[in-house]
Structures are given as C-alpha cells and as structure tokens.
C-alpha cells in the first residue's frame, strides 16, 4: 500500500492545522507573525503526515497553549511503536520512497520534541514557542 498523499493527507491535516491556527490567533501574548505561524503549521502538517505515512495512521491529536499563551504543545499519536527516523544524508537510492525530510524540520523548528510509547503506538510531542520573530 502506498503512503497517503494529496487529498487524503490534506483532508487529515486540515482539521489539525485549523485547530492550531485558532489557538495561535487567540493567544494572550499577542499576534503571531505570519512567518512564525507558517513554521508552526508546517510542524503540525509534518507530524500528522508522518503519522499517516509511517505510523499506521493518526489515532489522536491534541494541541494547547500553556496558561499564559506562550508555548504551544502539539501531540500526535499514531499506531506504530517505531520512533521517527531521519533519512541518512546521501541516500540516493532511486528505489527509495520520496520523503524523509520532515522529521529534521520538526526538530529544527520546535523548542522541544519527545517521543513516548502509547497504547498501541507512540505519541510525538512538539513544544513550540510562537513568539515574535527574532
């Protein structure tokens, strides 16, 4: 079975992105710059997409701002206990499936990332700091 792409992925990512966009637009710490919002939504998209493509499907999604509207925590639970992997640099195997670059993006754009076992799979938690651009 090939990994979900196109409309299937877009339909699954859209509610998660909408939830996070809504949180960002109501945060007490003030407006989030568009570029920062784009980075946060990219992390959400990558987490959900990774759960769909490599994790046997997303089984839960949770997003919340901390009490003062600073840090944003995004959690995606999937059906695979296998941790995310980074494609090795120089992996030029033409038979290899495309992709493998989302996990490094998630780690780079997040303040903290953790992967913990969950019943029937794992939960990937990313903590982001959607403050003003530096």
């Amino acid at each position: 079975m090939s990994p979900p792409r196109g409309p299937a992925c877009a339909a699954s990512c859209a509610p998660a992105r909408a939830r996070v966009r809504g949180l960002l637009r109501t945060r007490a710490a003030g407006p989030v710059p568009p570029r920062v919002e784009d980075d946060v939504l990219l992390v959400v998209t990558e987490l959900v997409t990774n759960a769909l493509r490599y994790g046997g499907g997303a089984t839960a999604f949770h997003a919340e701002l901390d009490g003062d509207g600073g840090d944003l925590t995004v959690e995606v639970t999937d059906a695979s206990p296998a941790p995310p992997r980074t494609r090795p640099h120089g992996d030029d195997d033409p038979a290899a499936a495309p992709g493998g670059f989302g996990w490094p993006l998630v780690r780079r754009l997040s303040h903290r990332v953790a992967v913990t076992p969950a019943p029937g799979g794992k939960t990937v938690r990313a903590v982001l700091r959607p403050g003003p651009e530096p």
Side-chain angles (χ1 to χ4, degrees):
M1 182 164 107
S2 65
R5 300 186 197 284
C9 183
S12 299
C13 295
R17 290 172 58 92
R19 165 84 173 122
V20 170
R21 187 179 290 114
L23 285 172
L24 292 176
R25 293 189 176 163
T26 61
R27 66 191 283 275
V32 175
R35 180 173 168 213
V36 174
E37 182 176 313
D38 289 346
D39 287 349
V40 169
L41 295 176
L42 177 59
V43 169
V44 170
T45 299
E46 288 297 333
L47 291 176
V48 173
T49 299
N50 286 349
L52 293 170
R53 286 186 179 174
Y54 311 113
T59 59
F61 176 84
H62 178 76
E64 70 178 311
L65 285 168
D66 68 7
D68 63 4
D71 289 354
L72 170 72
T73 301
V74 177
E75 296 178 336
V76 178
T77 303
D78 65 37
S80 171
R85 297 182 308 152
T86 300
R87 176 180 281 184
H89 289 350
D91 186 357
D92 296 329
D93 177 5
F101 306 104
W103 184 236
L105 275 172
V106 167
R107 292 191 337 225
R108 174 173 281 145
L109 295 174
S110 301
H111 177 66
R112 283 189 315 270
V113 178
V115 180
T116 56
K122 67 180 168 301
T123 298
V124 179
R125 172 185 289 168
V127 177
L128 301 111
R129 293 199 161 151
E133 293 179 276

